[in-house]
Amino acid sequence: MAATTAGTAPGTAAERPETLPGAKDALDLLDAAVDAMGGQVREGQRLMAAKVAESLDRGRHLLVQAGTGTGKSLAYLAPLLAHAQRADKPVVVATATLALQAQIVGRDVPRLLSALEGRLERELDVALLKGRSNYACLHKLEGGYPSEDEPGALFALPDAAPHPGPAEAEPAAGRLGQEVQRLREWARSTETGDRDEVVPGVTDKAWRQVSVTAKECLGRGCPLVEECFAELAKQRAGEADLVITNHALLAINAFEGVTVLPEHDVVVIDEAHELQDRVTGAVSGQLSAAMVRAAASSLRKHTSASPDALGAGAAALEAALLGAPAELLHRGLTDAQAAAVAQVRDAARTALTESKSGQGAEKDADAGRQMARSRVSDVLELAERVLAAEGSREVLWLSRQGGWEPGRGWVPAEDTDPATLHVAPLSVAGTLREGLFDGRTVVLTSATLSVGSSFDAAAGALGLRGEGAPRWEGIDVGSPFDYPRQGILYLARHLEKPGRRLTEAQLDEMLALLEASRGGALGLFSSRRAAEEAAEALRERTELPILCQGDASLAGLVQEFAEDPAASLFGTLSLWQGVDVPGSSCRLVMIDRIPFPRPDDPLATARSRAAERAGGNGFMSVSATHAAVRLAQGAGRLIRAGGDRGVVAVLDSRIATARYGGFLRASLPPLWTTTDRSVVLGALARLPAG
């Protein structure tokens, strides 16, 4: 059975940090660092550091919920550094987002190491490791790969281009060509080849012109392997004491049997509430007629193998999917669809055999063949997964791409539009148990890891519950903020149950809240359409500036929001989790509706049905749990510092009236709660607006 200690209060006799095994060195380092940085002692931070040290000392998995303001990065880095001084293998930290990854590498670790100068037993090396496609490929920059199979070649590459790229290459007209030219100039001076060094950033399409995927890479056969940015990053990681990486690489390491991380036996997973979705996304696949045709085209251009069978398979797949509704395929493929996918599978298998060897006079022949074979290999693997989905407990669904059109709103896709088959694991729990937790000590942490006072939902999703599950402990170290005094949770009980579109009553409520607070609102919406509709409607009713996701870059919008106390920012998922604006610029958080998964979300539907077949409550275990974590993330945008004050307004009456409302409210920060509109408007009017 899993051992849990949920909601343990810091400072109790049983949990005093100094009494925990292995905690002394970690706490000495943490206290020294906090003192050197001029910070304040936070008991929750000290308890977390001690519990992480105890976990490493005992080899037991740990789940830590650390509320906003705890300083959790420092709380796990201090014991990790203490452990790394004596460890034989690197210790790994994995984050969900590139932003946090960059923060840890660029700010948190350097500050900590500087603060601890002279206190560590030896100098520690820190390395950053990302997926191969995040690094520029020198061989591709030199012209060793053929141009992309996209219309409009960007460059005319001379046969004897100087390393690392032809200075005299002629860019195609337009922004794309200019971006690629800038990338080539940057590649001459970069030491890491890391895309994040490119400022300002470039589009994905431009980056693909200078990078390759893991399957497209020539590996040890590449003439520039000794200078390869990705290989050098992997080598540095193998020699480092601390490796900073991401959830996706952890997923590849655990699921695909590919050694992309150095051998390690300690992992800290930050933003752990995202792990299930990130891992699922990393190992999900998509198969479409367009993808098969692209593989056939690449095969024709770069190998001597015939593309005809693949082309015929693409046509058969397109015909078999024509008219099929975009939905979860809970009964599996039809006979015609299965036959078409099998035709694609057989054609891809034959093409791989025929393209194994071949001679080419051009220097890019091997690279071109590798690119073609990687595309055909992807098609083969996906076709095999789709055909085996039912027996391997994978979920199949069909999608068609709709879109947002100015003046028309969201335009749904027609059944005649091109279709894509998706395949994803019903659960990642079993594979994570075997590929991540087995033989390692894993610490998982987040500001929103438990629901109410229970870690069971997170533990179950990640493979830490059920027969044969390893032992683990869960603890909530709290937050230093005084939530009941700093904020109000307003439940708009009087509003009608929300429908598919925003109601006039919701818009009126938003306007009243905005006017009372004089702006300073972060509007968190369940869909991009709702955010845009709200922004458009409210701009006509108030002179307060309203920014909306999509108007400019997200970073630029957040900066403008932070700098203008009268501005409000409306948006969707990335704002629910990615905005950190302490101070009076964010004094109101408005949530349009409870963030349940979409009713047509295929994975959520499949997981709910699986829970019900196992005798559980599918709605509570999947939809309500998903909503609770997202609500907690969204509400957590309000109080980011000790002096912050404000209101979280949930404009969905179900949180106050539905039977599951108490379950959802238990996940939120303990703000003072009211349903009285006049009290909330008065409180907002009294807040300083800048």
Side-chain angles (χ1 to χ4, degrees):
M1 293 291 292
T4 61
T5 308
T8 304
T12 62
E15 294 291 326
R16 291 196 66 83
E18 294 83 357
T19 67
L20 299 177
K24 184 179 183 306
D25 289 346
L27 290 175
D28 285 347
L29 292 181
L30 176 63
D31 292 343
V34 169
D35 183 62
M37 295 176 187
Q40 295 181 332
V41 174
R42 287 175 269 190
E43 287 305 311
Q45 185 182 57
R46 297 189 83 248
L47 177 57
M48 178 175 172
K51 294 298 293 187
V52 173
E54 179 191 38
S55 172
L56 302 183
D57 185 64
R58 291 182 168 174
R60 179 182 296 180
H61 307 307
L62 177 68
L63 281 67
V64 187
Q65 178 161 288
T68 307
T70 301
K72 62 182 170 65
S73 296
L74 194 58
Y76 64 69
L77 285 172
L80 274 189
L81 293 184
H83 177 83
Q85 292 178 106
R86 297 178 290 275
D88 297 328
K89 300 174 184 177
V91 295
V92 173
V93 173
T95 72
T97 60
L98 292 176
L100 182 56
Q101 198 174 26
Q103 175 186 310
I104 292 172
V105 172
R107 189 190 73 178
D108 295 347
V109 171
R111 287 180 63 201
L112 180 57
L113 291 176
S114 175
L116 296 177
E117 189 172 1
R119 298 189 64 94
L120 296 173
E121 297 173 12
R122 60 182 179 85
E123 188 173 335
L124 297 176
D125 292 324
V126 181
L128 175 65
L129 186 61
K130 302 178 181 179
R132 186 170 294 273
S133 60
N134 289 281
Y135 301 95
C137 171
L138 291 174
H139 191 41
K140 195 167 191 177
L141 282 160
E142 191 184 53
Y145 280 79
S147 60
E148 292 291 312
D149 296 339
E150 299 174 0
L154 292 176
F155 290 90
L157 298 174
D159 289 340
H163 172 73
E168 59 283 339
E170 294 295 331
R175 177 185 172 190
L176 182 60
Q178 294 171 2
E179 285 186 329
V180 177
Q181 182 63 35
R182 182 158 59 88
L183 285 172
R184 290 181 177 278
E185 293 169 355
W186 162 78
R188 296 188 180 95
S189 60
T190 179
E191 294 184 1
T192 68
D194 187 337
R195 178 179 180 175
D196 282 349
E197 286 188 4
V198 182
V199 179
V202 296
T203 60
D204 290 346
K205 191 171 184 180
W207 184 253
R208 284 198 299 270
Q209 304 296 319
V210 300
S211 65
V212 297
T213 66
K215 286 188 176 180
E216 291 171 343
C217 175
L218 295 175
R220 301 307 300 176
C222 177
L224 297 177
V225 66
E226 300 300 327
E227 305 166 61
C228 172
F229 292 127
E231 288 297 319
L232 290 174
K234 191 173 180 180
Q235 180 181 327
R236 284 192 292 270
E239 298 169 351
D241 300 290
L242 177 63
V243 178
I244 313 298
T245 187
N246 55 57
H247 292 182
L249 282 190
L250 274 185
I252 294 170
N253 216 64
F255 273 75
E256 300 184 9
V258 179
T259 306
V260 293
L261 296 175
E263 189 176 350
H264 58 283
D265 51 25
V266 169
V267 186
V268 171
I269 299 174
D270 206 340
E271 301 173 299
H273 66 280
E274 285 283 300
L275 183 61
Q276 180 189 23
D277 288 345
R278 298 281 175 163
V279 169
T280 300
V283 298
S284 297
Q286 302 177 3
L287 181 67
S288 66
M291 176 185 178
V292 180
R293 287 195 177 101
S297 175
S298 191
L299 197 70
R300 181 181 64 253
K301 289 182 178 182
H302 306 307
T303 78
S304 58
S306 171
D308 294 346
L310 265 181
L317 182 62
E318 187 172 57
L321 299 179
L322 186 65
E327 63 182 6
L328 174 68
L329 304 180
H330 61 276
R331 293 188 178 90
L333 301 173
T334 65
D335 290 344
Q337 291 167 351
V341 175
Q343 183 177 341
V344 168
R345 176 201 61 195
D346 295 343
R349 186 180 291 140
T350 300
L352 281 178
T353 300
E354 292 178 351
S355 62
K356 279 184 178 178
S357 61
Q359 299 299 321
E362 287 78 13
K363 64 181 180 179
D364 66 2
D366 286 343
R369 184 162 52 251
Q370 184 74 12
M371 286 175 61
R373 285 176 55 80
S374 76
R375 293 183 178 184
V376 176
S377 177
D378 284 341
V379 168
L380 174 60
E381 290 177 9
L382 284 166
E384 290 178 334
R385 277 184 69 184
V386 167
L387 292 170
E390 185 174 354
S392 56
R393 287 177 58 80
E394 291 208 286
V395 180
L396 290 178
W397 71 94
L398 191 66
S399 73
R400 299 181 191 275
Q401 189 64 49
W404 179 269
E405 294 186 10
R408 295 184 65 193
W410 180 261
V411 179
E414 301 290 339
D415 287 348
T416 54
D417 290 346
T420 298
L421 268 172
H422 300 257
V423 58
L426 178 64
S427 170
V428 296
T431 307
L432 281 177
R433 181 188 296 184
E434 181 179 340
L436 175 63
F437 293 102
D438 188 27
R440 299 187 180 94
T441 302
V442 182
V443 175
L444 302 108
T445 184
S446 168
T448 52
L449 200 53
S450 69
V451 178
S453 60
S454 174
F455 291 86
D456 287 352
L462 300 176
L464 291 176
R465 287 180 60 80
E467 186 177 351
R471 290 180 62 81
W472 58 278
E473 183 178 2
I475 185 169
D476 183 348
V477 300
S479 169
F481 300 147
D482 189 349
Y483 283 112
R485 291 182 178 274
Q486 290 185 244
I488 295 173
L489 173 63
Y490 170 44
L491 309 179
R493 184 189 183 98
H494 62 283
L495 294 177
E496 293 184 5
K497 177 182 174 181
R500 298 185 63 181
R501 306 287 292 268
L502 288 173
T503 66
E504 282 299 314
Q506 280 182 304
L507 291 172
D508 289 343
E509 197 78 12
M510 291 179 195
L511 179 63
L513 292 166
L514 276 179
E515 295 283 5
S517 67
R518 291 144 292 154
L522 181 65
L524 304 178
F525 292 83
S526 54
S527 70
R528 183 72 169 264
R529 177 176 64 185
E532 292 174 341
E533 286 181 350
E536 183 178 352
L538 292 176
R539 283 168 180 162
E540 296 176 355
R541 307 182 190 189
T542 181
E543 295 183 358
L544 292 166
I546 298 176
L547 313 171
C548 188
Q549 190 175 352
D551 291 346
S553 73
L554 188 58
L557 289 171
V558 171
Q559 181 176 351
E560 189 175 351
F561 173 56
E563 293 175 351
D564 183 356
S568 296
L569 174 58
F570 290 5
T572 183
L573 184 59
S574 51
L575 297 187
W576 286 73
Q577 304 180 90
V579 175
D580 185 9
V581 180
S584 61
S585 289
C586 182
R587 50 195 180 273
L588 169 63
V589 172
M590 297 188 299
I591 297 173
D592 72 326
R593 63 190 301 151
I594 297 169
F596 292 121
R598 287 168 52 107
D600 59 353
D601 182 298
L603 264 179
T605 301
R607 287 170 174 168
S608 293
R609 290 177 177 174
E612 289 165 1
R613 286 194 298 269
N617 185 317
F619 171 76
M620 292 302 295
S621 63
V622 178
S623 295
T625 296
H626 174 278
V629 173
R630 287 284 180 260
L631 273 175
Q633 285 283 317
R637 300 307 97 198
L638 181 68
I639 307 298
R640 310 298 296 177
D644 288 355
R645 301 288 188 276
V647 170
V648 173
V650 182
L651 308 182
D652 185 334
S653 58
R654 292 173 296 177
I655 195 169
T657 61
R659 291 177 61 185
Y660 51 77
F663 174 80
L664 298 176
R665 295 194 301 272
S667 70
L668 298 174
L671 304 165
W672 185 78
T673 303
T674 184
T675 59
D676 191 325
R677 186 174 188 260
S678 62
V679 168
V680 173
L681 295 180
L684 285 171
R686 292 190 295 273
L687 287 175

